[in-house]
Amino acid sequence: MNGAATRCLHLASVAKIPSRSHSKHKKSQSQPPRLRLRCCSRDTSTRIIPMAAAKKAKAIRVHELGGPEVMRWEEVEVEDPKEGEIRIRTTAIGVNFIDVYYRKGVYAAPALPFTPGREAVGVVTAVGPGLTGRKVGDVVAYAGNPMGSYAQEQVLPASVAVPVPPSVDHKEAASVMLKGMTAHVLLRRVFKVESGHTVLVHAAAGGVGSLLCQWASALGATVIGTVSTEEKAAQATQDGCHHVIMYTKEDVVTRVREITSGKGVNVVYDSVGKDTYKASVECLASRGCLVSFGQSSGLPDPIPMSDLASKSLFLTRPSLMHYTAIRDELLESAGEVFANVANGVLRVRVNHTYPLSEAARAHADLESRKTSGSIVLIPDTDS
């Protein structure tokens, strides 16, 4: 345990909270340059110069920070790929809570307006000059950078795209890339879960939570999951949770102490944040590790070091991007995810699909906790 826990000592920040309000963004900064999506709306404030022979498509655009209603369905122009790039026709798009964070301004987008989304599957429609190893017709997926997957077409660096095995459905691949690689990093690299460990997974019926429970159980760990409803409790049990706690009816800390005979758990995977931090710390065993990888309930209050000192605890705030920036590590992580989907270790639940044009409704349902499993957007075929 000590060796595994030591891996959690490094602290990482996912993204900085914006230091200025969105109103101070220069309107001439139209979108992240790597996406090169050009807005074709007649809003003169965007001051977009039409491009000759640019390919037209539609995308979700965020012109101001706020609720789901700020997402607009607009026509854009997509440039041809340059050296080292590919263009894809998107077939399925994964929805993740990080998309909500950028839309609300919890994390700072490079500029306004922007196209959200960090996960998609698509078919290669164009290859940049001199690029080898990619060809038109290839099915690829990506997760992480660059932002901009909520679009019918997108230009990507070829280095971030990974091949999708024919055995994996496009919707499954789009729903599992970001979440699956997150689960891989959390379970195998941030804290290496082994047989005999006891783990606590908050939001066990969520997209990442579901995969964490399945994978940790397959590794031989005892899995405790927290959920809000009977329906989600049933799903968590199917996903390998040995003990399910309904936090709406039971005290999490009390139940964990009962389940572990007072010892606590070796690691807590916490994507909730503000509402769960204190319980997460109390549930840990001596020298346990709190892996905080999300904040769906808001940012936790400042954490005093004394909270960790009482049991020599470890705390980490990892970012997937820091573990997949190297191409070989990206391929390894994605490869393990797709292999575990193919061999049945990971059951991908695409419980909700929405047309891309209705991304606002998908976000509203996600934030109100009306969803379980994964959400996928399907690009509208009409232009």
Side-chain angles (χ1 to χ4, degrees), residues 61-324:
R61 301 288 281 167
V62 175
H63 292 260
E64 59 180 333
L65 306 179
E69 70 280 357
V70 303
M71 295 191 291
R72 304 181 193 173
W73 180 235
E74 296 182 343
E75 189 171 83
V76 297
E77 291 182 343
V78 188
E79 292 183 4
D80 288 333
K82 295 182 179 179
E83 187 175 349
E85 294 179 334
I86 58 174
R87 187 176 67 214
I88 65 170
R89 174 179 54 80
T90 310
T91 57
I93 302 156
V95 176
N96 301 281
F97 230 101
I98 194 171
D99 306 340
V100 174
Y101 296 154
Y102 277 103
R103 189 202 74 222
K104 294 169 70 174
V106 177
Y107 297 162
L112 286 171
F114 67 90
T115 297
R118 291 180 172 270
E119 179 178 38
V121 172
V123 178
V124 176
T125 58
V127 175
L131 183 66
T132 60
R134 295 285 186 279
K135 65 181 185 300
V136 172
D138 285 349
V139 178
V140 298
Y142 92 100
N145 289 322
M147 189 190 301
S149 64
Y150 285 24
Q152 290 176 325
E153 298 232 4
Q154 185 181 8
V155 174
L156 296 170
S159 60
V160 306
V162 301
V164 177
S167 59
V168 179
D169 177 77
H170 288 208
K171 288 189 292 185
E172 285 187 335
S175 71
V176 80
M177 267 289 286
L178 190 64
K179 300 176 186 70
M181 291 198 300
T182 297
H184 171 259
V185 165
L186 297 180
L187 291 166
R188 307 310 293 150
R189 299 185 64 190
V190 174
F191 182 97
K192 192 168 185 179
V193 171
E194 298 174 350
S195 179
H197 282 156
T198 302
V199 307
L200 173 63
V201 179
H202 287 301
V208 176
S210 171
L211 299 177
L212 284 171
C213 293
Q214 294 177 55
W215 207 328
S217 180
L219 291 169
T222 297
V223 183
I224 305 171
T226 70
V227 298
S228 59
T229 67
E230 294 283 358
E231 181 183 5
K232 291 181 178 181
Q235 178 186 306
T237 299
Q238 293 175 5
D239 286 339
C241 277
H242 301 87
H243 307 275
V244 181
I245 302 172
M246 286 186 59
Y247 64 83
T248 51
K249 296 181 178 181
E250 305 172 281
D251 180 73
V252 174
V253 176
T254 300
R255 284 292 293 126
V256 167
R257 285 174 179 165
E258 291 173 353
I259 293 167
T260 62
S261 301
K263 295 179 182 178
V265 301
N266 300 106
V267 59
V268 177
Y269 292 109
D270 190 343
S271 63
V272 179
K274 186 178 182 65
D275 291 350
T276 51
Y277 165 72
K278 289 188 180 299
S280 295
V281 169
E282 292 184 49
C283 288
L284 284 169
S286 177
R287 295 184 293 174
C289 180
L290 170 55
V291 182
S292 175
F293 67 99
Q295 52 210 40
S296 60
S297 67
L299 284 166
D301 294 328
I303 300 169
M305 293 297 290
S306 56
D307 283 7
L308 308 180
S310 61
K311 291 185 284 187
S312 295
L313 302 178
F314 297 84
L315 169 66
T316 182
R317 184 56 168 96
S319 166
L320 173 65
M321 288 63 162
H322 296 153
Y323 288 83
T324 56

